[in-house]
Amino acid sequence: LRKNVEDFTGPRERSDLGFVTFDITADILNGKNASKNKTRLFKYNMVFFLTRIHLQSIFDWNVKQLFLYLSAEYSTKNNALNQVVLWDKIMLRGDNPRLILKDMKSKYFFFDDGNGLKGNRNVTLTLSWNVVPNAGILPLVTGSGHVSVPFPDTYETTKSY
Amino acid sequence: LYYQVLNFAMIVSSALMIWKGLIVVTGSESPIVVVLSGSMEPAFHRGDLLFLTNFHDDPIRAGEIVVFKVEGRDIPIVHRVIKIHEKENGNIKFLTKGDNNEVDDRGLYKEGQNWLEKKDVVGRARGFLPYVGMVTIIMNDYPKFKYALLAVMGAYVLLKRES
């Protein structure tokens, strides 16, 4: 879904606002499996999709927390590269490693800088995470696999806001 | 005494060389910063030390932790990039938010400023050490402590006897 409304969070011109709802299932295995494969399964169905991620042994002795975030990446006429974080979550060491979230709304407004979401077929959603150690290097890892969310060519008329 | 003074000068200039060398190697004017607020908890707490790099060709991407200064203010802020809009020529404007904050940083930017640019960035957080920066915060809040520490260090070096 996409609407064109005044961007009330920042610049006061009309920009495209996108709405995406999604499901996330993350399975973090503190496994003995030595395989380094990260597999992701996506099923894109209407307005939601299911993410299943297997993160092998990410939580080792030096990991304090993971900062997970879902970002949408796309190109528009105005800007060659846009990345917008739609949702994030802090996962502390010791938290339930299986994450099953259904029908989530994006946490942050998906405003484009301009009107580039209209008819944009190539909006890609990827899940990434920042590993925060007890001490040491801060790596940023992007999960393999992604989902494409094509936006329609017409604006949604606002029924109730 | 001449030797002691020379000894002291050597120590000071070596420290300066290492610091300046670090600035060149990382490309950042301030390669080591101390976290001053709790806006990035529970990842970083007040008093943690961060190591930064600021290579010109390093792209700014969503999710990265950047340290930036708002135009006109001297305080570096450590937050995460949540939105970027980059043009083909490399011009980029981006928005940041502290993990522990409810809203994005637009309230912290200059009046009328809605985005940050590359020039506002001091560096990208690459590594971190917990608690170690507390010393700097104590020295800032209690300047007498800072002078006392410097006096002790100076006295130690000057009075140290080589056997």
Side-chain angles (χ1 to χ4, degrees):
Chain A
L1 277 209
R2 202 204 16 14
K3 304 184 187 190
N4 184 288
V5 292
E6 202 168 291
D7 182 344
F8 50 84
T9 64
R12 293 232 170 264
E13 300 107 34
R14 297 185 87 83
S15 302
D16 282 357
L17 176 64
F19 287 88
V20 179
T21 55
F22 50 89
D23 296 351
I24 292 189
T25 310
D27 226 319
I28 302 181
L29 306 173
N30 292 321
K32 296 145 193 144
N33 210 326
S35 150
K36 289 242 179 193
N37 262 335
K38 286 185 248 198
T39 55
R40 291 178 74 178
L41 253 182
F42 283 87
K43 200 158 76 173
Y44 176 65
N45 199 340
M46 303 279 268
V47 288
F48 64 84
F49 64 87
L50 197 80
T51 317
R52 179 177 288 132
I53 312 156
H54 295 262
L55 304 162
Q56 318 269 77
S57 303
I58 290 266
F59 275 103
D60 67 11
W61 60 276
N62 193 21
V63 173
K64 185 163 75 171
Q65 72 172 57
L66 289 189
F67 185 91
L68 300 138
Y69 57 98
L70 186 77
S71 60
E73 185 171 318
Y74 59 98
S75 278
T76 64
K77 219 164 30 88
N78 247 355
N79 295 296
L81 176 67
N82 302 279
Q83 288 183 335
V84 179
V85 171
L86 297 180
W87 168 92
D88 55 39
K89 178 174 173 56
I90 294 178
M91 177 174 288
L92 298 169
R93 185 200 195 87
D95 273 0
N96 189 356
R98 302 201 71 204
L99 206 62
I100 301 180
L101 305 158
K102 290 204 174 305
D103 222 4
M104 306 275 300
K105 306 269 185 297
S106 65
K107 218 185 199 187
Y108 307 113
F109 287 109
F110 188 175
F111 269 113
D112 180 37
D113 176 36
N115 299 316
L117 287 180
K118 178 177 183 181
N120 199 324
R121 291 274 175 267
N122 232 340
V123 177
T124 315
L125 271 69
T126 41
L127 193 70
S128 318
W129 53 91
N130 197 192
V131 182
V132 181
N134 283 317
I137 311 239
L138 293 156
L140 210 69
V141 183
T142 305
S144 55
H146 51 260
V147 165
S148 260
V149 179
F151 274 93
D153 285 330
T154 52
Y155 290 122
E156 180 88 9
T157 46
T158 321
K159 303 158 203 148
S160 57
Y161 199 81
Chain B
L1 178 64
Y2 178 59
Y3 176 76
Q4 310 291 27
V5 173
L6 226 57
N7 196 6
F8 185 67
M10 266 302 286
I11 296 175
V12 171
S13 47
S14 303
L16 208 64
M17 282 199 305
I18 294 176
W19 178 246
K20 291 293 182 191
L22 211 60
I23 291 182
V24 168
V25 160
T26 61
S28 166
E29 67 184 43
S30 188
I32 301 181
V33 290
V34 176
V35 175
L36 296 171
S37 71
S39 57
M40 281 297 279
E41 288 188 13
F44 306 137
H45 297 90
R46 203 172 124 84
D48 291 344
L49 209 69
L50 286 176
F51 296 95
L52 313 178
T53 63
N54 195 21
F55 301 120
H56 187 257
D57 295 330
D58 244 344
I60 298 180
R61 293 289 172 253
E64 292 192 337
I65 301 174
V66 293
V67 178
F68 61 91
K69 282 201 192 150
V70 177
E71 229 173 298
R73 305 222 196 103
D74 244 338
I75 319 171
I77 305 179
V78 185
H79 282 171
R80 197 180 293 273
V81 173
I82 59 169
K83 283 192 191 175
I84 66 162
H85 294 290
E86 180 174 307
K87 300 224 182 268
E88 235 169 61
N89 59 11
N91 269 354
I92 189 167
K93 57 187 189 193
F94 59 98
L95 181 63
T96 57
K97 175 183 163 296
D99 289 349
N100 207 18
N101 291 348
E102 280 300 310
V103 296
D104 59 39
D105 288 347
R106 286 207 165 116
L108 291 174
Y109 300 165
K110 210 170 62 160
E111 179 82 37
Q113 182 187 9
N114 283 313
W115 303 95
L116 286 177
E117 290 165 29
K118 236 186 209 167
K119 63 175 176 61
D120 300 311
V121 173
V122 170
R124 231 145 312 199
R126 293 283 181 228
F128 114 105
L129 276 180
Y131 312 121
V132 174
M134 258 309 187
V135 183
T136 316
I137 292 185
I138 296 176
M139 292 213 291
N140 250 336
D141 290 345
Y142 306 105
K144 290 209 177 71
F145 182 80
K146 178 163 67 172
Y147 301 136
L149 194 67
L150 284 174
V152 166
M153 287 199 332
Y156 174 74
V157 173
L158 288 171
L159 297 174
K160 188 170 72 147
R161 295 206 186 289
E162 300 274 325
S163 56

